[in-house]
Amino acid sequence: MKTLLITGGAGFIGSHVIRLFVKKYPDYQILNLDTLTYAGNLENLEDVESAPNYKFIKGDITDEKFIDSFFQKWSIDGVIHLAAESHVDRSITDPMAFIRTNILGTVNLLNACKSQWLSFDDKLFYHISTDEVYGSLGDTGLFIEETAYDPKSPYSASKASSDHLVRAYYNTYKLPIVISNCSNNYGPNQFPEKLIPLSINNIKQGKEIPIYGKGENIRDWLYVEDHAHAIDEIYHKGANGQTYNIGGNNEWKNIDLIMLLCEIMDRKLGKEPGTSAKLITFVKDRAGHDLRYAIDSGKISKELNWNPSVTFETGLEKTVDWYLENNLWLEHVTSGEYSSYYDKQYNR
Ligand code: NAD
Ligand code: TYD
C-alpha cells in the first residue's frame, strides 16, 4: 500500500484533490496534513472522513521538528503539496505569513523528503503552484512553461520562491519533483474572500460587490474539479523534473464575469433582472494589481491528454447552487475573526 501525503487538504483545492484520490485509489493510504487556518475547514471533507484509506493529521508545515517527526513516523511514498497562504490581498497586509508557510514550510517538507527517503526510486514531491509567478500580461500573449518568472505581489513572490527551491532540490540533490502552475480556480468550498465566492455571498446578503479599479483586469478561470483531475494526471504520469501549466482557456474581464454572475443570481433567487448588478461598487484598486493572466496549457494537453471539461457557464451554475445550498458552511467559515480586505480598508 502506498502512502501519499497531501498537505493543505482541508482547503479549497486540497479538499477536492483528497476527495478524488480517496475515492479513486482505495489502495493508497492518504494522509491529509493541515494546520486548519481560517481557510482550512474539515467540513469540506465530511463525505470522506470515515473512509478506511483516509486520515487527517493536524499540523503546521512551518514547524521543522514536527515535520521531521511526522516523516519518521509515516513511511511516505509521495507528497502533493498544496498547503499555503493563498490570497493576494492578505499577502499585501501580512506578507510574513506567506514567507513562513509558502517558503519555509515548503523547504521543511523538501528537507524531510531528502533526509527520510533512503532511495528516491518511486518517490515524488509534487508542488502545486500558480500562474501568478509569471507576472502580468498585457493585452496579448499567454504564459508558457518557459516564461521568465516575474512575480509582482508578496503572494506570487513567495510562490515563485518555493518553485525555485523545489527545482533547486531536483537539480542539487536529484529529489524527484514535478511542479504545476495553474490559473484561477473556482467552485464549491472556496473561502468567500476571493472574487467569485465573495460576490455570491454578498449578493445573497444584499451587500455591495466590491470591484477593484475599473474591473478591467483579466483572469483565466478553471473549475476546481478539472484542476483536481489535472493533478491526478500529473502525479501519476508527469515526467520527473518537469513543469506543467494548467489553465481553463477561459479569460474573463472581472466586470463581465460579475455581470454574468449577477444574471445567474437574479434567476436563482427569483429576482427581477438587473437587481444584483445594482450591488456592484467600484472601489480603490488593489496595490500593484496584475492586469492579465492567461495560460497556454498545450503541454499538459499534448503530453498527458488533459483538457478542461467543465464549461464556465455550467461551472458557475454549479458553484452558485452549492453556495445557495450550504448556508451552514458559509456561516461557520465567516464566523471567525477574518474580515475581507475591502471591509478592513473601509473599517466596516
Ligand atoms: P486555501 O487557502 O483554500 O487552502 C490552503 C490550505 O492550507 C488550508 O486548508 C490551510 O489550513 C492550509 N495551511 C495553510 N498554512 C498551513 C501551514 N502552515 N501548515 C499546514 N497547513 C497549512 O488555498 P487553495 O486556494 O486551495 O490553494 C491550494 C494551493 O493551490 C496553494 O498552494 C495555492 O498557491 C495553489 N493555487 C491556488 C489557486 C487558486 O485559484 N485558488 C490557483 C493556482 C494555484
Ligand atoms: P482573487 O479572486 O483575489 O484572485 P487573484 O487575485 O489571485 O487573481 O481576484 C480575482 C480578480 O478579482 C483580481 O483581478 C482582483 C479582483 N477582485 C475584485 O475586483 N474584488 C474583490 O473583492 C476581490 C476579492 C477581487
Side-chain angles (χ1 to χ4, degrees), residues 206-259:
K207 281 170 64 176
E208 292 165 356
I209 308 166
I211 302 288
Y212 300 163
K214 295 185 179 148
E216 283 175 353
N217 304 67
I218 294 173
R219 297 292 182 264
D220 169 51
W221 294 93
L222 179 70
Y223 192 64
V224 63
E225 287 179 2
D226 273 335
H227 189 189
H229 284 113
I231 290 172
D232 180 17
E233 292 301 320
I234 292 170
Y235 182 74
H236 289 100
K237 298 185 202 145
N240 188 13
Q242 289 295 306
T243 294
Y244 299 88
N245 280 353
I246 307 170
N249 204 13
N250 176 40
E251 287 181 53
W252 284 81
K253 246 185 211 179
N254 291 341
I255 187 65
D256 296 340
L257 187 164
I258 293 302
M259 289 303 289

Side-chain angles (χ1 to χ4, degrees), residues 130-180:
T130 167
D131 61 353
E132 302 187 26
V133 297
Y134 299 122
S136 179
L137 290 165
D139 292 337
T140 57
L142 300 171
F143 296 134
I144 57 170
E145 283 78 2
E146 291 75 26
T147 301
Y149 274 34
D150 187 18
K152 308 274 191 195
S153 72
Y155 165 65
S156 55
S158 70
K159 292 296 290 188
S161 176
S162 59
D163 291 11
H164 286 319
L165 284 156
V166 172
R167 288 198 186 95
Y169 275 62
Y170 169 72
N171 185 61
T172 310
Y173 309 109
K174 311 295 171 223
L175 192 78
I177 64 109
V178 279
I179 298 179
S180 56

